[in-house]
Amino acid sequence: MVTIRCVEKRQKSFSLAVKHVLASLFRIPGNILSGTLIDSTCVLWREDCGNKGACAQYDNRLYRVAVMSLSAAMSAASMFMFFIVLYLLVRQQKRQGQAEIHHRSGSATKDNIQLQKVEAYTHYNQTFQPTE
């Protein structure tokens, strides 16, 4: 929603494409980090021909703490970014509101001046007509 609302109409498709590319790029390290974190909770590795294989047993308590910590850290990072974007949007709305108020007051003054000029011109150029 933020990507669509904060970008000019002519740049929306480009911004969505950039967002998709960045999400894809950050997804790869995220998967590696998750796998490494899960592997760190392994207590017994299988061995095939002297090579380390898949994990045979995880420490359940440590696994739970690792997965929940990763989830909490990602949620905290997401909320932090959300509040940054919210702050920037509110600031932008205030600036636009102030600019609009300033623009309205300036245009209203210009309109009043133009109207006064027209009224003065018509009043000055009116011909006198006697009443009966």
Side-chain angles (χ1 to χ4, degrees):
M1 282 300 281
V2 171
T3 305
I4 293 173
R5 291 192 62 183
C6 293
V7 178
E8 294 179 21
K9 190 173 186 172
R10 61 189 175 97
Q11 294 178 340
K12 287 185 191 240
S13 60
F14 178 71
S15 67
L16 287 172
V18 168
K19 177 185 159 204
H20 180 69
V21 167
L22 289 175
S24 297
L25 289 175
F26 285 118
R27 192 173 298 131
I28 295 168
N31 292 335
I32 293 170
L33 176 66
S34 299
T36 303
L37 189 66
I38 291 170
D39 283 346
S40 71
T41 63
C42 185
V43 290
L44 179 63
W45 290 93
R46 291 190 182 140
E47 288 190 24
D48 293 329
C49 300
N51 293 330
K52 185 170 140 181
C55 183
Q57 185 177 1
Y58 291 99
D59 180 0
N60 288 337
R61 188 180 84 43
L62 189 58
Y63 183 83
R64 181 183 69 236
V65 169
V67 169
M68 292 305 290
S69 298
L70 180 63
S71 177
M74 292 299 166
S75 295
S78 176
M79 290 299 290
F80 178 72
M81 290 180 201
F82 171 78
F83 284 118
I84 287 175
V85 168
L86 184 65
Y87 169 75
L88 293 174
L89 283 174
V90 168
R91 194 172 81 176
Q92 180 184 14
Q93 289 294 326
K94 283 183 182 177
R95 284 183 182 172
Q96 286 178 349
Q98 289 173 350
E100 188 174 307
I101 289 170
H102 185 268
H103 178 68
R104 281 185 188 169
S105 65
S107 65
T109 306
K110 289 177 185 175
D111 291 343
N112 288 340
I113 291 172
Q114 290 291 358
L115 183 61
Q116 288 172 358
K117 285 181 181 178
V118 169
E119 287 175 351
Y121 180 76
T122 28
H123 180 70
Y124 179 75
N125 287 334
Q126 259 184 347
T127 55
F128 177 73
Q129 300 206 359
T131 57
E132 294 180 17

